[in-house]
Amino acid sequence: MNITFCGAAETVTGSCHLVETGGLKIVLDCGLFQGARKIERRNREGFPFVPSEADFVLLSHAHLDHVGLLPRLVKEGFRGEVIATAPTAAIAKLILADSANIQVEEAAYRSRKARRRGEEALPPLYDMGDVLDTIDTFRRGVNYNEPITLNDGVKTIFHDAGHILGSAIIELRAEGKTLLYSGDLGNLHKPIVRDPSDPPQADIVLIESTYGNRRHRSMDDSVAELKEAIDTVIGRGGNLLIPSFALERTQEVLYELFRLWQNKELPKCKIFLDSPLAIATTRVFARYPSYFDEEGKEIFARSPNPFNFPPLHYTQTADESKRINAIPEGNIIIAGSGMCSGGRIIHHLRHNLWKKEAGLIIVGYQAHGTLGRQIVDGAPHVNIFGEQTAVAAQIWTVNGFSAHADQPILLDWLKKSAAKQIFLVHGETESLVGFKKAIAKSLSTDAQVATWKETVVL
Ligand SMILES: [Zn+2]
């Protein structure tokens, strides 16, 4: 068995690992690299394997950093099969279509600038045609805990990862060994989704390390912080912006806002969900209640519910979005992208970031090099659409909403897997170093930090 780390090695984005076993080439996730320019350049470098030779892609979940390079893999010759849970497949199609639109728009913008300089511009990574070809490769949905035979000697089983709707931990059995790929592991007690499943016993584990060096504050503390931010900002008549990942984080924030509203703890305001992608993914959620936890099933069976309650307004078109800035302030605006690297949130930041009465709640991970990270790191000014913009709004970082497990959860999960060999993926340097030390101390097993393009023979 060989494993090649093709992405999310010493960084959090671009998840992709090639496993060669039992005569098959199996790709675990095929994600987009995001963040700093030198990381994003990897999207154009080509895969460290021949795409046409790969037999399967097994998808852990539908976040862009786990599925976003799939159309490129197809464009470069992949003709195998993509296997995912039904919600992952449904959401991946939306995420990839949105990504193709962004790629094409950005390429057109680059091309205009390059032509002025008399240079050639980079084409889009892929377009909608490539996404349609990619959708053809999703031929089979998989249920949790149901073994799937890939060939005579290789089986896979997906387990609930509790990270986002439909997310999976992927188990591969081949050559008498069990390999476990954690995908992204969920935090405990998150709204809507279930807690991550306990792992089966495994020989080899590839585990995410996003918060390998951190302990999250509790969900109750986070909800209290959310409430404090709302009372403060709405109380002084400012707008409260929540940059949010369209998938999962948005739905969780809506869930908590709904609970505040239900308990009459939400001040009078409007809540705008200003993201066509988030609106579309919210609809997919409503289609798969069987993937919710018990509390989620109960809440969503009723009306009003977190996706449909009086203060909540969905703004679909660009015109509706622009009108938000024309109404009196004192509202909550949820918009993408989650790391402020594009999308409608940029327009809202331009309108609000320089105002003392405004507020910004950061509810998700901010990768190095993104606008969101600069704001969290305390930059006094940031560049928005080429203009220096002062950061005067009040900033809250609420990390209990994290969709990722923290160090104690990751360690407990690893311990249960009884893994003999551990590879750390999907983390930035400080998390990887901290997690490796913690593993050595509490499990007395040596974990290895995966390196980009490295192949290990097992
Ligand atoms: Zn994820």
Side-chain angles (χ1 to χ4, degrees):
M1 186 183 282
N2 289 356
I3 307 176
T4 306
F5 304 104
C6 312
E10 295 175 295
T11 182
V12 278
T13 61
S15 277
C16 185
H17 312 290
L18 174 74
V19 181
E20 293 168 275
T21 187
L24 293 177
K25 290 184 198 278
I26 301 161
V27 181
L28 303 173
D29 285 341
C30 191
L32 195 72
F33 289 99
Q34 296 168 282
R37 209 168 285 168
K38 78 170 199 288
I39 295 287
E40 291 199 343
R41 266 202 289 269
R42 294 183 183 180
N43 288 320
R44 298 193 180 265
E45 276 210 15
F47 296 92
F49 57 91
V50 181
S52 61
E53 291 178 358
D55 301 285
F56 293 98
V57 176
L58 310 183
L59 288 184
S60 69
H61 65 290
H63 272 147
L64 195 60
D65 62 326
H66 291 258
V67 300
L69 264 192
L70 206 46
R72 184 145 179 108
L73 191 75
V74 172
K75 192 176 173 180
E76 291 184 14
F78 174 71
R79 294 294 174 267
E81 183 186 352
V82 175
I83 299 182
T85 64
T88 295
I91 299 167
K93 290 168 192 172
L94 296 173
I95 297 275
L96 293 179
D98 182 69
S99 173
N101 283 332
I102 293 171
Q103 300 289 342
V104 170
E105 273 171 29
E106 285 182 355
Y109 176 74
R110 281 195 307 268
S111 156
R112 282 196 298 276
K113 285 180 80 167
R115 275 210 310 269
R116 269 182 234 135
R117 291 194 304 265
E119 292 169 8
E120 290 259 324
L122 285 171
L125 276 174
Y126 49 82
D127 59 21
M128 200 56 82
D130 300 311
V131 170
L132 293 176
D133 290 343
T134 304
I135 290 172
D136 282 344
T137 64
F138 286 76
R139 288 177 214 127
R140 204 170 358 177
V142 55
N143 297 316
Y144 292 135
N145 309 317
E146 176 188 279
I148 296 224
T149 301
L150 301 182
N151 77 3
D152 283 350
V154 186
K155 276 196 173 56
T156 184
I157 305 174
F158 284 42
H159 306 268
D160 195 341
H163 168 63
I164 64 166
L165 194 76
S167 64
I169 298 155
I170 299 173
E171 178 183 355
L172 263 183
R173 289 190 201 157
E175 300 176 46
K177 294 185 189 122
T178 299
L179 178 147
L180 208 54
Y181 168 49
S182 72
D184 287 359
L185 275 186
N187 200 354
L188 300 179
H189 317 304
K190 274 158 48 67
I192 312 176
V193 294
R194 291 184 281 254
D195 283 351
S197 306
D198 282 344
Q201 298 238 320
D203 300 287
I204 307 139
V205 170
L206 272 58
I207 186 166
E208 70 121 322
S209 320
T210 320
Y211 289 116
N213 63 340
R214 286 261 293 270
R215 184 183 280 268
H216 293 321
R217 272 167 285 176
S218 77
M219 194 67 190
D220 287 349
D221 290 349
S222 300
V223 173
E225 283 173 297
L226 176 72
K227 186 173 167 357
E228 183 214 288
I230 293 171
D231 289 344
T232 308
V233 177
I234 306 299
R236 66 184 178 219
N239 279 335
L240 183 63
L241 310 186
I242 311 182
S244 186
F245 300 98
L247 174 49
E248 196 74 23
R249 195 63 37 84
T250 291
Q251 290 78 21
E252 286 168 12
V253 167
L254 291 179
Y255 188 97
E256 295 305 340
L257 292 174
F258 170 73
R259 297 254 290 228
L260 291 174
W261 173 80
Q262 216 179 14
N263 297 336
K264 307 204 169 11
E265 291 178 301
L266 188 73
K268 197 171 158 20
C269 67
K270 290 191 165 88
I271 300 166
F272 293 101
L273 179 54
D274 188 26
S275 159
L277 181 61
I279 295 170
T281 47
T282 302
R283 275 200 210 113
V284 175
F285 267 67
R287 259 170 43 208
Y288 291 100
S290 65
Y291 282 78
F292 295 179
D293 63 11
E294 291 311 311
E295 186 191 27
K297 277 180 196 157
E298 206 180 296
I299 285 196
F300 283 95
R302 291 194 297 259
S303 181
N305 67 47
F307 299 161
N308 178 17
F309 61 110
L312 177 60
H313 300 265
Y314 291 93
T315 45
Q316 185 75 253
T317 66
D319 276 347
E320 286 171 323
S321 172
K322 280 180 200 146
R323 277 203 290 274
I324 298 174
N325 295 310
I327 64 167
E329 294 177 3
N331 299 305
I332 299 173
I333 304 166
I334 306 168
S337 72
M339 298 193 235
C340 307
S341 47
R344 291 182 182 174
I345 193 69
I346 307 286
H347 295 271
H348 297 300
L349 287 168
R350 182 163 75 161
H351 278 276
N352 292 284
L353 200 57
W354 51 275
K355 294 177 181 166
K356 276 205 306 285
E357 65 275 21
L360 182 68
I361 310 185
I362 300 289
V363 290
Y365 189 80
Q366 306 295 312
H368 279 301
T370 57
L371 176 58
R373 182 64 168 252
Q374 290 171 37
I375 295 172
V376 170
D377 286 346
H381 293 91
V382 290
N383 187 318
I384 297 181
F385 294 131
E387 239 181 311
Q388 282 282 93
T389 307
V391 183
Q394 198 172 349
I395 317 291
W396 282 265
T397 304
V398 180
N399 74 12
F401 281 104
S402 178
H404 289 271
D406 62 1
Q407 191 190 72
I409 304 172
L410 291 170
L411 280 175
D412 182 54
W413 192 87
L414 259 185
K415 202 177 284 178
K416 287 177 179 153
S417 77
K420 299 182 192 88
Q421 261 183 305
I422 302 167
F423 295 95
L424 307 185
V425 296
H426 200 290
E428 281 170 0
T429 309
E430 59 272 34
S431 308
L432 294 163
V433 170
F435 193 27
K436 187 175 153 69
K437 269 192 206 147
I439 293 170
K441 204 167 142 202
S442 61
L443 303 185
S444 54
T445 315
D446 224 9
Q448 198 177 320
V449 174
T451 340
W452 188 41
K453 292 187 176 176
E454 170 200 27
T455 299
V456 290
V457 181
L458 301 161

